[in-house]
Amino acid sequence: MVIALAAILLVGSSVGVVLAADNGDGAGSLPEAQHWALLDRVCEIYEENTGTTVDLPDRLPAVNIDSRRISQVLRNLLENALAHTAEGDAITVTAAQQGNWVEVSVVDTGEGIPAEGLPNIFERFYRVDKSRARTTGGSGLGLTIAKRLVEAHGGTIQAHSEQGKGSRFSFTVPIK
């Protein structure tokens, strides 16, 4: 409950995010370079309430991001990791400068994604396991939203996974 409430307060409505991503809004109206305070706060909430490990450097370079939208991306990735990782498995969030980019990753040791599912993972309404639709409660939009928001910032998002061993979702945003 704490996570859901904090997410609503921090990142606003998902419907607004879907509309902004669908209309392409955001890329031309991003605020000036911002610090990573909201990203840090989202990570703290998950760390405190789910046991997620957070490994963020003390300082990250300035980037031209809408921190609320990028926090939504992180939240979507974390919610997916939580839904597909059993108790006792690990979820880790990391961030690091990679050349002219900052890369943020969510890595889990959960169930993983079958190889045949990876090419479709960012498609709207796609679900790897259709039978889990009611148990996970997701709509199949979270990764599509994440991809569109990252791309609106000029970045990329990718997934690497091995069934039975876990997944790694990473996204990049350009350094200002």
Side-chain angles (χ1 to χ4, degrees), residues 3 6-7 10-11 36-50 52 54 56 67-68 70-76 78-79 93:
I3 292 170
L10 288 172
V11 295
W36 294 88
L38 189 55
L39 180 80
D40 288 339
R41 184 64 191 130
V42 170
C43 287
E44 284 174 20
I45 290 167
Y46 279 87
E47 188 173 36
E48 292 167 5
N49 293 288
T50 67
T52 298
V54 178
L56 301 177
S67 60
R68 288 182 176 262
I70 293 300
S71 293
Q72 176 72 41
V73 171
L74 179 60
R75 194 177 123 259
N76 288 359
L78 283 165
E79 289 297 324
V93 178

Side-chain angles (χ1 to χ4, degrees), residues 12-31:
S13 114
S14 293
V15 172
V17 172
V18 171
L19 293 174
D22 280 346
N23 293 330
D25 293 346
S29 61
L30 298 176

Side-chain angles (χ1 to χ4, degrees), residues 84 120-121 123-141:
H84 299 284
N120 303 312
I121 201 74
E123 289 182 17
R124 188 181 298 208
F125 303 118
Y126 182 78
R127 300 183 65 86
V128 172
D129 184 352
K130 310 296 188 254
S131 67
R132 291 186 57 135
R134 293 181 195 252
T135 60
T136 61
S139 63
L141 288 173

Side-chain angles (χ1 to χ4, degrees), residues 18 21-22 124 143-153 157:
V18 171
D22 280 346
R124 188 181 298 208
L143 292 176
T144 302
I145 292 168
K147 180 180 181 193
R148 291 191 180 185
L149 291 176
V150 168
E151 289 174 348
H153 284 79
I157 188 167

Side-chain angles (χ1 to χ4, degrees), residues 21 39 47 50 55 63 83 90 107-108 111-112 120 122 143 150 154 175:
L39 180 80
E47 188 173 36
T50 67
D55 184 16
V63 290
V107 180
D108 68 63
E111 63 195 38
N120 303 312
F122 294 105
L143 292 176
V150 168
I175 294 173

